Amino acid sequence: MKTMISSIDINNIDMKEIKKQAKLLSEGNTVIFPTETVYGLGANALDENAVKKIYEAKGRPSDNPLIVHIYEKKEVYDLANDVSENAEIVMGKFWPGPITIILNKKDIVPNTTSGGLDTVAIRMPSHKIAREIIKQAGVPIAAPSANISGRPSPTKANHVKEEMEGRVGGIVLGGDSNFGLESTVLDLTGKIPMILRPGSITKEDLEEILGKVDLDPSLAKKEDNKKAKAPGMKYTHYSPDADVFIVSGESVNVINKVNELTELNHKNGLNTGVMCLEKNKCKYMAKVISLGETLEEVASNLFDALREMDKLNIDIIYCEEFETTGLGQAIMNRLLKSAGYKIIKA
Ligand code: AMP
Ligand code: MG
């Protein structure tokens, strides 16, 4: 497939290019565009044939529902029934932004978009380019992360160009994503709001405005993965070609353990990579990619680091462990999945 590529500067948006890409969307084609979380692979959410092209391009299982991206809050009422007070509160406080809400769906949303569920996931992104594209397309846009299913989500223009050119109708190259992790997914169909996927808007942030918020219990353990309420959470995810391990323990023990293993791997002809906090980067003997100093930086660098390791032909990646409060919850969720839940205790 010939892919139409547009490079767009977020500070000086070229509306002619936006309109060309938006036209592809309104004609039932797929277009990749940047959002504040990760790059999304979009198609008209209300057009079953268009949505099928998303699943094809990604190689995504069809029981894994898509998030519908809207331009204005009022579109929620066209797509969902029973828009609760909690939904209004979340939309009022965090939209546009990196949180997706699950509500009961109206018939207008095809089953292909909802993965056969009676509910629909909706988000109003804040990214200027994403917003212009959705507005100009004139329809709600279903858009999962723009990676081949199972691979790390794309957070930079070169990720989508390298992986998806030829697989979609259009690609908008528009710089780096701000947050670098996918949106928080919040189920508002039950009595107590439940986080199905942790993200940059944290449990703590949500509890401030909603009171009690639950975390899908299946997120905690690998064995419970199959019971995950967000169908997508049960699949292998964020996997580079290299084998990923999380190393947990006191910092000095982690460093010693990783250096020991690096030597062993070397003897076995295997290339080792380490992903760590900036402050530790000189302490490892392996090829190191620093994830930054703060959790915000780690979140925004994580997927790129996994992809970079593949480019460096790394066979085994060791990653430091992070706390599981605040943003750390989302980071550890992605890391654990990437590592297939393999943890080495140092
Ligand atoms: P992605 O499209 O890659 O950002 O992933 C979207 C995530 O939201 C996946 O984990 C989906 O399974 C989840 N999701 C989307 N729609 C629903 C829904 N109606 N109910 C539960 N989870 C959903
Ligand atoms: Mg994804």
Side-chain angles (χ1 to χ4, degrees):
M1 183 188 303
K2 175 104 181 85
T3 301
M4 184 168 90
I5 298 201
S6 308
S7 286
I8 297 184
D9 176 359
I10 191 166
N11 297 313
N12 183 16
I13 293 182
D14 180 343
M15 284 308 293
K16 234 173 78 198
E17 287 300 308
I18 293 270
K19 284 184 179 158
K20 275 199 268 178
Q21 297 282 354
K23 186 158 177 278
L24 285 176
L25 284 170
S26 49
E27 287 170 349
N29 295 305
T30 47
V31 172
I32 291 175
F33 55 87
T35 84
E36 71 275 21
T37 56
V38 303
Y39 271 76
L41 196 172
N44 180 352
L46 306 182
D47 174 348
E48 234 169 316
N49 285 325
V51 168
K52 279 187 189 145
K53 293 181 190 168
I54 296 179
Y55 288 100
E56 273 165 35
K58 277 180 67 78
R60 177 168 170 133
S62 60
D63 69 342
N64 188 1
L66 306 173
I67 295 171
V68 179
H69 293 69
I70 57 175
Y71 173 67
E72 288 178 297
K73 282 180 202 152
K74 65 177 195 219
E75 293 172 67
V76 164
Y77 304 93
D78 303 332
L79 301 168
N81 284 317
D82 318 316
V83 181
S84 60
E85 202 187 320
N86 277 343
E88 301 279 0
I89 293 172
V90 173
M91 297 188 301
K93 169 92 181 176
F94 292 115
W95 276 7
I99 185 161
T100 297
I101 57 175
I102 310 270
L103 297 168
N104 290 322
K105 85 171 183 72
K106 284 196 167 158
D107 289 343
I108 187 177
V109 179
N111 284 327
T112 324
T113 301
S114 70
L117 299 174
D118 295 333
T119 50
V120 57
I122 311 176
R123 179 162 99 84
M124 177 181 172
S126 61
H127 195 285
K128 274 197 205 158
I129 296 176
R131 285 180 57 69
E132 277 306 334
I133 292 211
I134 300 166
K135 183 181 178 190
Q136 296 299 329
V139 285
I141 301 293
S145 51
N147 50 282
I148 304 268
S149 207
R151 295 268 305 150
S153 302
T155 53
K156 289 176 178 288
N158 70 301
H159 298 164
V160 282
K161 184 142 191 319
E162 284 165 14
E163 191 161 297
M164 301 307 272
E165 189 170 5
R167 301 179 74 96
V168 290
I171 297 182
V172 176
L173 305 173
D176 299 351
S177 300
N178 323 46
F179 294 104
L181 294 182
E182 307 86 344
S183 59
T184 306
V185 175
L186 183 69
D187 186 351
L188 292 173
T189 60
K191 256 207 180 120
I192 296 173
M194 184 183 278
I195 295 175
L196 307 188
R197 177 172 73 184
S200 300
I201 292 173
T202 63
K203 184 165 186 281
E204 292 84 345
D205 294 335
L206 290 166
E207 281 182 331
E208 251 176 53
I209 54 166
L210 299 178
K212 186 170 164 41
V213 172
D214 286 335
L215 197 64
D216 180 356
S218 68
L219 292 175
K221 292 198 224 98
K222 181 188 181 184
E223 309 85 73
D224 284 352
N225 232 3
K226 296 269 180 291
K227 297 184 207 148
K229 292 197 166 53
M233 300 303 275
K234 67 177 186 261
Y235 293 109
T236 318
H237 237 122
Y238 318 120
S239 307
D241 296 334
D243 208 5
V244 182
F245 295 83
I246 297 167
V247 188
S248 92
E250 292 285 322
S251 182
V252 48
N253 297 342
V254 168
I255 292 162
N256 287 339
K257 182 78 187 174
V258 167
N259 283 337
E260 233 173 73
L261 291 167
T262 301
E263 219 176 306
L264 201 70
N265 293 338
H266 183 69
K267 281 188 188 141
N268 292 326
L270 296 170
N271 292 327
T272 306
V274 173
M275 305 197 312
C276 62
L277 286 174
E278 174 73 18
K279 64 176 183 197
N280 293 332
K281 76 173 182 195
C282 298
K283 301 177 186 160
Y284 292 101
M285 286 156 32
K287 179 77 207 166
V288 170
I289 296 183
S290 162
L291 295 174
E293 283 172 13
T294 62
L295 288 181
E296 283 72 22
E297 285 173 12
V298 173
S300 106
N301 292 328
L302 181 64
F303 290 141
D304 182 52
L306 290 168
R307 285 173 179 267
E308 281 303 306
M309 286 290 182
D310 279 349
K311 285 196 185 147
L312 295 167
N313 280 321
I314 297 296
D315 301 299
I316 298 185
I317 301 172
Y318 299 115
C319 185
E320 291 179 349
E321 187 182 43
F322 300 95
E323 65 202 49
T324 50
T325 49
L327 183 54
Q329 180 108 58
I331 294 170
M332 281 308 292
N333 169 265
R334 307 310 192 273
L335 258 183
L336 279 163
K337 286 169 110 348
S338 177
Y341 295 82
K342 297 190 299 300
I343 301 179
I344 296 171
K345 301 254 185 263

